[in-house]
């Protein structure tokens, strides 16, 4: 019933609009205004051009100033500050061009609206002017590119030797991390070794794998270079941490990397943003399927000493999954048991039993 | 003087036209309206198909805007339309959300702004503006439309598949698009997508060869390249870009088909999915991205250049001024054409590309901003001291320049690889390309339709409705896309089904709602255009011979140009197409087919020298520099 009423209402509105249209058309024909080169509508459009310029300039300024805090992301990495710097330089330079060209466009449209008594200026070209406004943008753009290029080469340069290596693995629809453990060496992997528990395809014929661990929550230190070694298991994903200005695709079959230095711990960011629930997250920015929008993991930035303490507490993966000792070659078994801390575990248990 | 001549010409035209009618009007309904080889009919077929696709593509975007703007909304009322894609709890299925985004992109980029824009206006304007009877190969031309039609049918059919249409984004990056177990859209939906696109590419190649051949070989006497209207330059270069880049997409699609169906590993390597390690090793998903963007970036210019050409013509005509810097305009079109092939990897700065390669592409990308800037400055100077008539076409052209500036400027951010790290795949990108490519090309399309409707259908569109349509659309696109910059700067990723699940991304719930409302209003306002278009086709005021007092050749044809366009001889061309408001001329325009010998009062010195030899036709084009001082 409501559907019917709405339907009738819509039809009525359409009929009314159509009638108005017919009447206005007839009036125009009677006036003969449709025969003129520029009718009264011409003036109205000219004023609308000016009006649009003014109103949108006000809205733009108001929102950009008033909501500045809302739409900017606090920055928490060393290279992020540089990225922001060239972002805002570009914003100012292009902003000036934007404002000037838009004003000229709408002002010219308004000011040079049709008048019967005037003739347009025959002005087909001016080589000097054209050369000038080819060269000036070229110079300005070169400067922008050059400053961007310097930042880019710094960001993509090889990571420092002492960087904390962490492997980030993306899969539908979550992130997981693997840390190198006490030996500071991530073990080899092979995607054919992946199974329900061994999500990374850790290769236990490599002795570096024995002490690797994977925490539930990803921790990184503040003020120390961190190198993300990024992998994907199934489709493309992209590691994205807005506060660090960090983004790097995760590609199946082709590990990628990104290194950075975090400058604010989670606690500091909570203070800065005034949000006690603030947390860093790794998001996914490459469409990866149904759960793409919810693919994220929490990331905690600790002070260096807290991070070290946290790291020391972590249990090697092999320790929690001793079944995988079976995959370790015979000659390495002893090393594996020690590296994974399985011997201590046994001792502890033995002590408890005693 | 010029007008009187124009009129006499037309009277003669109608006379001979009557005699011609018996010769040419022997086609039946099928050969005239369906399998027509006439370029004007084919162009109308492209236009109509494009308009239908535009409404479908727009509707899809409204569906996902509902989801983004009103995430809590009960969408049960859409069940009759979407069926099982609305879950029992009344929410939109996330897989279908991705399918909507994908199909919206594909349809708009390829079917509306490629086929609908350059298909319509290349077909319509090339023969009419260069003075040719038809395309070089009318049959190939017809074939091109019907390949496009077939592609359309297949793409449309894919919307109704059980597993849904393609859903990996319009860029269809593998492995997502290659593995049916990764997303349902990669089942038969992706197969349909690939087959449809293969046919579409074939259609574009046939069309492109035709456009290029026609422009090179079939120009009328005196129509040298330096006298070509900028529309033709733009459409010609668009065809060149398409011809060189579409085959690469075909290769990409073909290899993807192999990977999907025949077990090859071009794009697949070391994949473990659904508890199973796939045997593929050694492929590279990055290879696909290179191949895709080798078309994908030139594609941006394929949709943009025709719009720029159209507006150049319309802005000059309605400012009653010559286009400023004709040679610079042609030069920047050429520059854009060449550079469009060497910037593709700026879409891949964070894809795992070698950072050194990233640097190279950053430099190349920012060079392409120079010709674009030159075009903007030239448009502005053309408006300066003009005598501007606001036809709906002119409004859309001015609108184009505005959105082209707004969207072009954000390209300088994204082309800078260091800034792109943060902005890549966020709403900033969405805002950028919807303004610079989506809206600008759409405005070009609309400007073209309003401007050449009288030539297409012999009737005028309603001006007042055109005004309302323009302002609703112009304010609408800014209202929809401008706020997305803020959302993007705040780091919101694109292609997210919902933001409400995250506290940190929930800041813009109100802005998202506002964008959705603006989008719905803007979309609804397009009904005004649809009404105006179809109503005027049958009931519009009869069009005068040259309603905009324009210089180009198409306005010398009869009101309804028959097969062969000109009933008598094809007019010769004696001057460039931008002699508007020439000092001392009797009228404020002098069409291209008026010889200098008839306009002694307004000729420039070097033009007077041509009077003796211009009748010799082709010769003149070699000595003549139409806009030299």
């Amino acid at each position: 019933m409501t559907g019917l009423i709405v339907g009738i209402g819509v039809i009525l509105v359409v009929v009314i609009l159509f009638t108005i249209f017919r009447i206005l058309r007839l009036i125009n024909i009677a006036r003969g205004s449709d025969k003129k080169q520029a009718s009264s509508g011409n003036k109205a459009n000219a004023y609308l051009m000016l009006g649009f310029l003014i109103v949108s300039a006000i809205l733009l300024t108001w929102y950009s100033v008033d909501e500045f805090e809302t739409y900017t992301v606090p920055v928490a990495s060393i290279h992020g500050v540089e990225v922001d710097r060239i972002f805002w330089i570009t914003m100012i330079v292009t902003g000036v061009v934007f404002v000037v060209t838009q004003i000229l466009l709408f002002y010219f449209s308004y000011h040079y609206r049709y008048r019967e008594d005037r003739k347009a200026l025959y002005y087909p070209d001016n080589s000097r002017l054209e050369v000038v406004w080819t060269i000036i943008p070229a110079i300005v753009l070169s400067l922008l590119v050059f400053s961007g290029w310097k930042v880019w080469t710094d960001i993509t340069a090889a990571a420092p030797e002492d960087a904390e290596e962490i492997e980030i693995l993306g899969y539908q629809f979550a992130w997981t991390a693997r840390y190198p453990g006490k030996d500071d060496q991530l073990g080899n992997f092979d995607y054919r070794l992946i199974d329900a528990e061994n999500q990374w395809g850790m290769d236990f014929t490599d002795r570096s794998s024995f002490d690797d661990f994977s925490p539930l929550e990803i921790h990184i230190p503040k003020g120390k270079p961190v190198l993300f070694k990024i992998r994907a298991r199934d489709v493309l994903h992209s590691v994205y941490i807005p506060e660090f200005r960090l983004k790097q695709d995760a590609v199946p079959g082709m590990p990628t990397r990104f290194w950075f230095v975090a400058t604010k711990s989670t606690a500091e960011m909570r203070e800065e943003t005034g949000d006690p629930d603030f947390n860093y997250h790794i998001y996914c920015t490459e469409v990866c399927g149904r759960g793409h929008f919810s693919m994220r993991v929490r990331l905690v930035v600790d002070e260096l000493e807290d991070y070290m303490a946290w790291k020391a507490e972590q249990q090697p993966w092999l320790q929690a999954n001793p079944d995988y000792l079976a995959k370790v070659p015979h000659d390495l078994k002893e090393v594996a048991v020690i590296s994974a801390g399985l011997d201590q575990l046994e001792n502890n248990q033995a002590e408890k039993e005693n | 003087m010029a007008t009187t001549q124009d009129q006499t010409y037309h009277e003669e035209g109608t006379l001979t036209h009557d005699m011609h009618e018996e010769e040419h009007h022997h086609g039946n309904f099928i050969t005239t309206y369906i399998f027509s080889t006439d370029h004007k009919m084919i162009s109308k077929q492209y236009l109509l198909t494009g308009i239908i696709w535009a409404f479908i593509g727009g509707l899809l975007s409204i569906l996902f805007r509902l989801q983004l703007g009103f995430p809590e909304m009960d969408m049960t009322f859409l069940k009759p339309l979407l069926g099982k894609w609305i879950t029992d709890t009344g929410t939109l299925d996330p897989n279908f959300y991705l399918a909507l985004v994908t199909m919206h992109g594909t349809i708009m980029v390829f079917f509306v702004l490629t086929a609908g824009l350059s298909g319509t206006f290349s077909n319509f304007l090339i023969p009419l503006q260069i003075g040719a009877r038809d395309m070089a190969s009318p049959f190939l031309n017809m074939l091109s439309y019907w390949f496009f039609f077939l592609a359309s049918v297949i793409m449309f059919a894919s919307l109704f598949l059980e597993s849904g249409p393609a859903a990996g984004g319009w860029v269809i990056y593998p492995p997502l698009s290659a593995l049916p177990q990764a997303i349902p859209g990669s089942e038969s939906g992706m197969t349909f997508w690939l087959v449809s696109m293969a046919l579409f590419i074939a259609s574009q190649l046939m069309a492109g060869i035709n456009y290029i051949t026609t422009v090179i070989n079939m120009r009328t006497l005196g129509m040298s390249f330096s006298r070509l209207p900028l529309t033709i330059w733009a459409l010609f270069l668009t065809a060149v870009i398409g011809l060189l880049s579409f085959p690469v997409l075909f290769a990409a699609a073909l290899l993807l088909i192999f990977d999907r169906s025949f077990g090859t590993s071009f794009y697949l390597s070391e994949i473990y999915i659904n508890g199973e390690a796939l045997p593929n090793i050694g492929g590279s998903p990055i290879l696909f991205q290179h191949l895709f963007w080798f078309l994908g970036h030139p594609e941006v210019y394929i949709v943009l250049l025709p719009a720029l050409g159209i507006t150049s013509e319309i802005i000059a005509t309605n400012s009653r001024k010559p286009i400023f810097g004709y040679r610079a305009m042609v030069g920047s079109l050429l520059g854009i054409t060449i550079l469009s092939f060497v910037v593709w990897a700026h879409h891949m700065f964070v894809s795992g590309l070698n950072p050194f390669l990233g640097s190279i592409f950053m430099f190349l990308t920012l060079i392409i901003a120079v010709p674009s800037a030159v075009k903007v400055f030239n448009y502005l100077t053309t408006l300066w001291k003009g005598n501007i008539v606001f036809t709906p076409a002119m409004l859309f052209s001015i609108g184009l320049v505005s959105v082209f500036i707004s969207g072009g400027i954000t390209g300088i951010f994204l082309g800078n690889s260091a800034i792109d790290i943060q902005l890549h795949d966020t709403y900033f990108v969405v805002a950028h390309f919807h303004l610079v490519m989506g809206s600008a090309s759409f405005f070009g399309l609309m400007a073209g339709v309003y401007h050449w409707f009288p030539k297409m259908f012999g009737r005028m569109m309603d001006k007042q409705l055109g005004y309302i349509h323009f302002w609703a659309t112009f304010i609408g696109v800014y209202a929809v896309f401008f706020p997305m910059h803020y959302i993007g700067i705040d780091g919101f990723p694109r292609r997210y089904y919902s933001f409400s699940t995250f506290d940190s991304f929930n800041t813009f719930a109100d802005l998202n709602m506002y964008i959705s409302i603006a989008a719905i209003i803007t979309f609804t306002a397009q009904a005004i255009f649809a009404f105006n278009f179809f109503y005027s086709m049958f009931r519009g005021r009869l069009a005068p011979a040259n309603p905009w007092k324009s210089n180009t050749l198409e306005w010398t044809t009869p009101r309804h140009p028959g097969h062969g366009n000109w009933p008598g001889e094809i007019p010769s061309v004696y001057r460039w197409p931008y002699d508007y408001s020439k000092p001392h001329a009797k009228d404020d325009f002098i069409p291209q087919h008026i010889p200098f010998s008839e306009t002694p009062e307004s000729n420039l010195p070097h033009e007077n020298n041509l009077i003796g030899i211009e009748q010799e036709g082709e010769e003149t084009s070699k000595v003549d520099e139409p806009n030299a001082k």
Side-chain angles (χ1 to χ4, degrees), chain A residues 150-188:
Chain A
K150 276 175 69 184
V151 176
W152 170 252
T153 41
D154 286 348
I155 294 173
T156 54
E161 287 285 312
D162 64 332
E164 285 284 317
E165 274 183 34
I166 302 170
E167 184 183 73
I168 307 285
L169 174 74
Y171 59 95
Q172 287 182 325
F173 298 99
W175 297 104
T176 177
R178 181 163 71 113
Y179 287 68
K182 292 193 177 65
D183 63 354
D184 283 333
Q185 290 265 324
L186 277 166
N188 289 343

Side-chain angles (χ1 to χ4, degrees), chain B residues 17 24-25 38-40 133 557-567:
Chain B
H17 181 62
H24 285 299
H25 281 230
D38 184 90
H39 72 98
K40 298 180 291 296
R133 299 250 177 237
T557 58
R559 192 167 77 87
H560 280 296
H563 205 63
N565 296 338
W566 285 269

Side-chain angles (χ1 to χ4, degrees), chain B residues 39 42-43 46-47 50 109-127 135 141 144 148 200 203-204 207-208 211 231 234-240 242 246 299 301-307 310 441 444-445:
Chain B
H39 72 98
I42 294 171
S43 116
Y46 266 113
L47 180 59
V109 170
F110 293 113
F111 291 2
V112 179
L113 296 176
T114 304
L117 179 60
S118 90
T120 303
F121 291 105
S122 296
N123 272 305
F124 194 74
L125 293 180
I126 288 178
M135 284 288 177
N141 208 20
S144 142
F148 166 52
F200 181 81
S203 145
Q204 287 306 302
Y211 303 152
T231 30
L235 294 168
F236 172 66
L237 293 172
T238 304
V240 172
F246 265 116
E299 172 65 25
Y301 296 99
I302 290 175
V303 308
L304 191 62
L305 289 191
I310 287 168
S441 308
L445 175 65

Side-chain angles (χ1 to χ4, degrees), chain A residues 108 112 118-122, chain B residues 319 321 381-387:
Chain A
F108 287 169
Y112 297 108
R118 201 181 55 203
K119 201 165 180 181
L121 176 71
Y122 186 80
Chain B
S319 301
K321 261 189 82 178
T381 321
T382 306
L383 291 171
W384 176 69
K385 294 207 169 178
N387 206 14

Side-chain angles (χ1 to χ4, degrees), chain A residues 22 42 124 191 247 283-284, chain B residues 278 325 366 390 424 496 504 535:
Chain A
R22 290 292 300 163
N42 211 58
Y191 83 106
K247 193 175 287 146
Y283 300 98
C284 180
Chain B
L278 303 184
L366 294 200
F390 291 110
H424 183 80
Y496 265 31
S504 49
Y535 180 87

Side-chain angles (χ1 to χ4, degrees), chain B residues 105-320:
Chain B
T106 307
I107 288 168
M108 288 306 198
V109 170
F110 293 113
F111 291 2
V112 179
L113 296 176
T114 304
L117 179 60
S118 90
T120 303
F121 291 105
S122 296
N123 272 305
F124 194 74
L125 293 180
I126 288 178
L128 282 173
Q129 288 197 332
I130 66 169
R133 299 250 177 237
D134 205 316
M135 284 288 177
S137 168
F139 179 76
L140 206 59
N141 208 20
M142 175 186 82
L143 216 54
S144 142
Y145 173 76
W146 285 101
F147 265 74
F148 166 52
F149 185 81
L150 201 59
S152 294
V153 170
I154 293 172
M155 193 63 86
F156 188 69
S158 81
L159 289 169
F160 303 98
L161 289 170
E162 173 73 23
S163 53
W170 79 282
V171 297
I172 58 155
Y173 282 175
L176 186 63
S177 59
L179 305 173
Q181 56 273 56
I183 189 168
S186 294
E187 290 169 30
S188 36
M190 186 47 71
T191 308
F192 275 52
W193 195 98
L194 289 166
V195 171
S196 169
M197 281 312 293
L199 291 169
F200 181 81
I201 293 165
S203 145
Q204 287 306 302
L205 296 182
M206 285 188 275
I209 290 174
N210 228 337
Y211 303 152
I212 294 170
T213 322
T214 311
V215 173
I216 292 178
N217 287 326
M218 298 178 69
R219 284 164 289 126
T220 185
L221 214 58
M223 180 63 91
S224 60
F225 266 87
S226 59
R227 284 175 181 168
L228 277 185
L230 287 169
T231 30
I232 302 301
W233 267 110
L235 294 168
F236 172 66
L237 293 172
T238 304
V240 172
I241 299 177
L243 204 59
L244 293 175
S245 62
F246 265 116
V248 180
L249 179 66
F250 189 78
L254 204 62
L255 299 187
L256 184 55
I257 291 172
F258 287 161
D259 270 9
R260 286 168 51 82
S261 309
F262 306 115
T264 56
S265 308
F266 290 107
Y267 307 131
L268 305 178
S269 187
E270 304 185 24
I271 290 167
Y272 176 90
I273 189 162
N274 282 2
E276 185 199 359
L278 303 184
N280 311 67
I281 277 187
S284 165
I286 308 292
L287 169 65
F288 178 86
Q289 298 178 23
H290 278 297
L291 293 175
F292 181 86
W293 286 114
F294 192 84
L295 160 89
H297 196 78
E299 172 65 25
V300 171
Y301 296 99
I302 290 175
V303 308
L304 191 62
L305 289 191
L308 293 176
I310 287 168
T311 39
S312 304
E313 176 67 26
I314 293 173
I315 286 184
T317 304
N318 291 295
S319 301
R320 315 307 298 159

Side-chain angles (χ1 to χ4, degrees), chain A residues 84-99:
Chain A
D84 273 19
R85 187 175 58 82
I86 56 166
F87 175 85
W88 289 110
I89 289 174
T90 310
M91 184 68 89
I92 291 164
V93 173
T94 58
V96 171
V97 179
F98 171 77
V99 170

